Each structure stands twice: as structure tokens, then as C-alpha cells.
Amino acid sequence: MAATGATEVPPTPPPHSPVARAERFVWLTARVLEQRRFAHHFRGAAADPVETALDAYRNEDGGYGHALEPDLRGPVSQPLHTAHALRVLDAVGRCAGQRVERMCRYLTSVSTADGALPAIHPSQRDYPTAPFVTVVDDPPSDLLATGQVVGLLHRNEVWHAWLFRATDFCWQAIESLEKSHPYEIEAAVAFLDSSPDRPRAEAAAARLGRLVRAHRLAALDPGDLDACPVSPGYAPGEHHFPYDYAPTPRSLARAWFTDDEMARSLDHLAAQQQEDGGWPVRWRHWAPAPALEARPLVTIEALRVLSAYGRAIY
């Protein structure tokens, strides 16, 4: 069954099933938002409680803060927090209305001269931040931040004046990429998967797929990770797999990988569930709270990917 709706109540899972083990982990460790997301995606609960929990992270400027993205602490709104909020709303079918209009106004207010988003607004400087995140006074336009936001807004048929320039930036950035890294490629795919210009998106995605394979940005054989070097600046073991680029079979990135490559990556994902029921965080740990808060997020996404590909989780 799909893991994105709440139209029917799933049966009570067997106690040792992946979803039952993950549910116990979520109740033991997760924030209220992730508890409610889990209940919506996997236990048939309504979307309203998810929206209510998400409101705790919203600021008066229309953006989101308060460590919604765990590696950025503090109350201030940030583009990456707001992208996280859009992903939550998209996942529960609520990415519309005045809430999203206010988010677009916030995004407009922090956009760069070319209409794109910076990864980190300088207001983050006064608060704890992961050491691998750079805070500068005049941050550049960033595809990683902009691509995922613009893709989500297109996916939900949201139209705002800011989107036109941001969309142009994404096209220019994606079509000029010669070297990249996994998170940037994932943001590019998020944009291309929802771009209204489907022929252009398909052509751009095919070129990105060739780049990913040529630069060995995807670990195609989980049994031989030494064949796929970790990108510069990433944590040891922070490999990216086919399912990271194509979290659903509908993604344009699915065509980058053979059936065997995708199956091996999904087998590896399923096997990564740990003794406590959660999935591990692959990126660098730098403080206890961010690592604790990130694991339920990773766990929910792992289950959603497995479910999207028809893997048994109940």
C-alpha cells in the first residue's frame, strides 16, 4: 500500500515487522511532528494534527525555524527550514492556501539578486549550527536550497511571482552543471520531477544521470562501497544510493539505474534498520540533539521509500 495517504486504516502490524519496530522507535525518540507524521503515513491518522505540529516551527515572517531542520538550531527562519516545511505539507497533501502564500513571501524576502535562495541566511550566525554549514554575510544563490523548494511548489501547482525567476535560475544551474555532489543532484531531481516543461526536464535528467554515473556519485553495489568514494566534505560512510536519487519509481532518476542496481540498493536500505527499530543517520554527527532528532526523520523516509517500491513493511 502507498505510504502517503490516510484514506484507510492499515491493519495492526505484526510486532516484528519493520513498521512496528519503527513505530516503537518513533514513540521513544521522536518530536511531536514526526510522531504525527508517522501516524499519518503508516497508521491511517488524519493530516490535521501534522499541520498543527508544524505550526510550532512557523515564524511571523512566513518562514520556518526553531530547528525544524535539526542541524540548524535557533528560532530564526531559514530557507532550508522552509523547504523542510514544504516537504511535510506536500507529503500530507496540504501544500496550498494562505500558509504557502506566506511562505512564498518569506522566500521572496530572502532571495538573492538573481531570484534564487541562499542555503543559509546570515541571521543564523547568532545560533548554533553544524560545523559543515557555512554562514557568510552575503551568501550566494544555491541550487540545493532553491531546486527542492521550486520543485515542490510546481508539484502542487502553486504560482507566485517569485517562482518565475527562481525557476529560470534552476534551469540555468542544472543545465550548466559539470561537477556536483549528491545533495545538489537530489535537489536538481526534485526540481526536474515536477517541472511543467517535461521534454526539457527529461533531457536535463538524462544528462544528470550520465554525470552521476561518470563521477561515481551513486553506490551501485552496497557490497563494494570502496568503489564509490565519498564526496569531498562528506562524513566517512556518507554514501548515496540509487533510492536517494529516485525515492519513488516515478522519479526521472529511476531511469539512471538498472533493475538489479535499484533492487540491491533497496535490499541494503531494508537491512539498515537497526536493533532499536530506527534507521541510522549517515551524515556527520556533531551534537546529541541534532543526531537524535534526525533519526526519526530518516526512519520515516526509509519506510516511505520501501513502501513506494512495493517492499513489505507491514
Side-chain angles (χ1 to χ4, degrees), residues 8 17 26 52 65 68 79 154 159 189 221 231 242 244 250 254 260 283 311:
E8 60 181 275
S17 64
V26 165
T52 300
L68 178 57
H154 281 313
W159 288 103
V189 172
D221 182 0
S231 294
D244 288 308
R250 298 183 301 277
R254 175 62 185 87
D260 285 345
W283 58 88
R311 295 297 185 103

Side-chain angles (χ1 to χ4, degrees), residues 71 132 182-183 186 217-219 225 230 233-245 265 268-269 272 274 279-285 291 294-295 298 301-302 305:
D71 284 328
F132 47 83
Y183 292 118
E186 289 169 22
L217 298 181
L225 293 178
V230 172
Y234 284 28
E238 195 175 352
H239 295 93
H240 286 243
F241 299 89
Y243 63 77
D244 288 308
Y245 299 103
S265 79
H268 177 73
L269 178 62
Q272 289 298 296
Q274 298 188 329
W279 268 260
V281 172
R282 299 200 304 267
W283 58 88
R284 187 176 296 116
H285 299 186
R295 282 195 69 205
V298 171
E301 292 312 311
V305 168

Side-chain angles (χ1 to χ4, degrees), residues 80-101:
L80 291 180
H81 291 313
T82 306
H84 189 129
L86 281 170
R87 288 196 300 273
V88 171
L89 293 171
D90 173 70
V92 300
R94 297 293 178 87
C95 194
Q98 291 187 353
R99 179 199 303 269
V100 176
E101 173 67 25

Side-chain angles (χ1 to χ4, degrees), residues 72-73 76-79 106 109-112 117-129 133-140:
L72 304 178
R73 314 307 289 183
V76 294
S77 296
Q78 287 291 331
Y106 161 74
S109 74
V110 297
S111 63
T112 60
L117 295 173
I120 307 294
H121 189 271
S123 59
Q124 185 64 35
R125 187 182 303 281
D126 295 331
Y127 300 97
T129 305
V133 174
T134 303
V135 182
V136 298
D137 289 333
D138 187 19

